[in-house]
Amino acid sequence: MHIDTLAIRSTHLPDENAHSVATPIYMSTTFERAEDGSSPKEFIYSRADNPNRRLLEQSLAVLEGGTHGFAFASGLASITAVIQMLKTGDHVIIGDDTYFAAALLMQDVFAQWGLQISRVDMTDLEAVQAAIQPETKLIWVETPSNPLLKITDIQAIADIAHANQALCGVDNTWATPVLQRPLELGADIVQHATTKYFGGHSDVLGGALIVKDETLAASLKKIQTLTGGVPSPFECWLVTRGIKTLPLRVRTQSESALSIAQFLANHPKVEATHYPGLETHPQHQIAKKQMQMFGGMLSFQVYGGAAEAIAVAARIRLFTRATSLGGVESLIEHRRSAEGPTSVAPDNLLRVSVGLEHPSDLIVDLAQAL
Ligand SMILES: *Cc1c(COP(=O)(O)O)cnc(C)c1O
């Protein structure tokens, strides 16, 4: 079936109690056992499993073409669970343009447990190959990358990882399974900040992992249950509801982002526009190969440095000046300020999350602000 159909049907919970069409929220932390001590629906305690979380996790697996989904309380909690599968001394290769907090998590927090990190330009396959060590256990891909929208060839990286007995994990937050399905391209683990496009309305934090291997699934289930960074039933309900409109939102946002990127690319005040849908994007051909459309995120650099970038954002009316992405409202931010002192983002760069407003209105607004 098409992902539109899967998004609706995989998030529908047949309700024996009241025949409710919308999914009830099961707030219960604990579940009654039968007289013989068994658990009729295999629910015991909500840290381990809950009806709303199970529905979300099954939907995540279906959408990404995996066998097991795991929901977490935030995107970073889900990345943490992946790293917790590794051990002291293991080596991880991440991109030079990885989401800054994920890089900080590995370099600041997990460095204390002896995790080794190399940061490389993932668009350069020889550089990735050269970074491999005997201890390399994970190559962590983020494509499109944040905030420069670099595209990494998932299949090529998965091949390098597997030739070296390492796992390939992909942060698929910016693409979503509507546009890109990393497990089908050879990745072992897909990760999401469901905070973004899955939730879709800037009102819930969440993270997700999806795998298709039983050993990995067992290991992640253990970590998820024992570390306990799980979302509440209500948060699961919000993400599950968001999934129903995910394909519609992401396609419309991708169409609008392409129009906006084309406008920016031709504007005299704009020094550079980063969007994989532009034919001038250095990895446009790889994007075309592995993505259905090019996503709702873009960034651009203005002439005049940080001061002018901040001034453009100040003159904007229809975009909200805020961090995060993937919601129905368009957002703009000066990324360097958002990331703080460790930022490697160019200081004249503005990052845009395209929402569901009409693209013509957004372009008029950008034109007056520039
Ligand atoms: C937001 C984001 C994360 C982290 O998600 P949180 O829910 O904020 O913890 C990870 N990766 C990417 C690409 C993101 O955009």
Side-chain angles (χ1 to χ4, degrees):
M1 282 188 281
H2 294 82
I3 198 162
D4 311 65
T5 313
L6 297 174
I8 303 294
R9 298 319 299 179
S10 68
T11 49
H12 179 73
L13 188 71
D15 170 36
E16 292 159 25
N17 186 41
H19 292 252
S20 167
V21 173
T23 304
I25 304 176
Y26 293 86
M27 291 302 286
S28 194
T29 53
T30 186
F31 299 85
E32 187 178 18
R33 287 180 186 269
E35 284 163 5
D36 65 359
S38 68
S39 297
K41 306 269 172 153
E42 291 169 37
F43 294 113
I44 296 170
Y45 184 61
S46 277
R47 174 159 45 72
D49 204 1
N50 168 282
N52 293 99
R53 202 168 91 219
R54 186 182 292 181
L55 182 68
L56 170 58
E57 291 180 337
Q58 287 172 345
S59 173
L60 290 165
V62 164
L63 297 179
E64 284 288 2
T67 52
H68 296 79
F70 300 93
F72 291 84
S74 70
L76 282 177
S78 60
I79 298 174
T80 297
V82 173
I83 301 167
Q84 283 167 330
M85 290 198 295
L86 305 178
K87 61 182 191 321
T88 299
D90 282 355
H91 175 246
V92 180
I93 300 174
I94 63 173
D96 56 354
D97 195 38
T98 294
Y99 174 61
F100 82 111
L104 276 180
L105 169 70
M106 298 187 206
Q107 289 175 328
D108 273 22
V109 178
F110 282 102
Q112 298 178 75
W113 274 268
L115 193 73
Q116 314 279 337
I117 309 290
S118 294
R119 295 192 77 158
V120 303
D121 178 359
M122 291 253 174
T123 65
D124 181 350
L125 296 177
E126 281 169 22
V128 177
Q129 185 67 56
I132 297 273
Q133 301 173 10
E135 298 78 26
T136 305
K137 292 288 149 54
L138 174 68
I139 306 183
W140 189 250
V141 176
E142 196 184 303
T143 182
S145 72
N146 180 0
L148 287 173
L149 284 292
K150 290 192 194 179
I151 300 295
T152 297
D153 187 331
I154 296 173
Q155 200 155 16
I157 297 288
D159 287 347
I160 294 175
H162 297 156
N164 293 279
Q165 288 76 49
L167 295 171
C168 172
V170 177
D171 183 335
N172 205 28
T173 300
W174 282 28
T176 83
V178 180
L179 306 182
Q180 173 172 283
R181 307 228 298 168
L183 294 178
E184 289 171 1
L185 298 167
D188 304 287
I189 304 167
V190 173
Q191 178 261 325
H192 283 281
T194 52
T195 310
K196 314 293 172 52
Y197 287 102
F198 277 76
H201 296 73
S202 307
D203 55 10
V204 60
L205 285 172
L209 298 174
I210 302 101
V211 297
K212 55 178 182 184
D213 172 88
E214 291 299 326
T215 313
L216 279 180
S219 166
L220 288 172
K221 178 71 189 169
K222 185 165 88 177
I223 289 168
Q224 180 197 40
T225 307
L226 293 179
T227 61
V230 293
S232 74
F234 181 52
E235 290 165 324
C236 293
W237 184 89
L238 281 171
V239 176
T240 311
R241 187 170 76 160
I243 287 174
K244 292 179 188 286
T245 55
L246 177 72
L248 279 177
R249 285 185 284 106
V250 167
R251 288 193 199 110
T252 302
Q253 284 161 316
S254 296
E255 261 172 42
S256 298
L258 180 58
S259 311
I260 292 169
Q262 283 163 343
F263 161 77
L264 290 168
N266 291 308
H267 198 285
K269 296 256 175 83
V270 175
E271 187 184 332
T273 305
H274 307 287
Y275 188 68
L278 295 175
E279 277 167 25
T280 49
H281 185 284
Q283 295 94 39
H284 177 64
Q285 292 307 326
I286 299 168
K288 260 171 78 173
K289 187 181 75 170
Q290 68 188 19
M291 301 178 80
Q292 300 283 323
M293 296 172 82
F294 304 101
M297 292 300 295
L298 60 92
S299 62
F300 63 103
Q301 292 171 249
V302 296
Y303 289 110
E308 184 55 17
I310 290 166
V312 169
R315 288 190 290 263
I316 281 275
R317 299 191 193 111
L318 272 182
F319 297 70
T320 303
R321 283 181 298 279
T323 195
S324 198
L325 59 116
V328 295
E329 57 289 292
S330 292
L331 304 179
I332 191 162
E333 76 170 340
H334 182 243
R335 191 62 193 160
R336 182 97 166 230
S337 309
E339 293 185 359
T342 61
S343 179
V344 291
D347 69 354
N348 63 342
L349 179 136
L350 291 168
R351 192 184 80 174
V352 170
S353 170
V354 178
L356 291 176
E357 304 89 346
H358 197 284
S360 306
D361 294 333
L362 296 173
I363 288 171
V364 168
D365 191 32
L366 278 166
Q368 69 76 22
L370 283 164

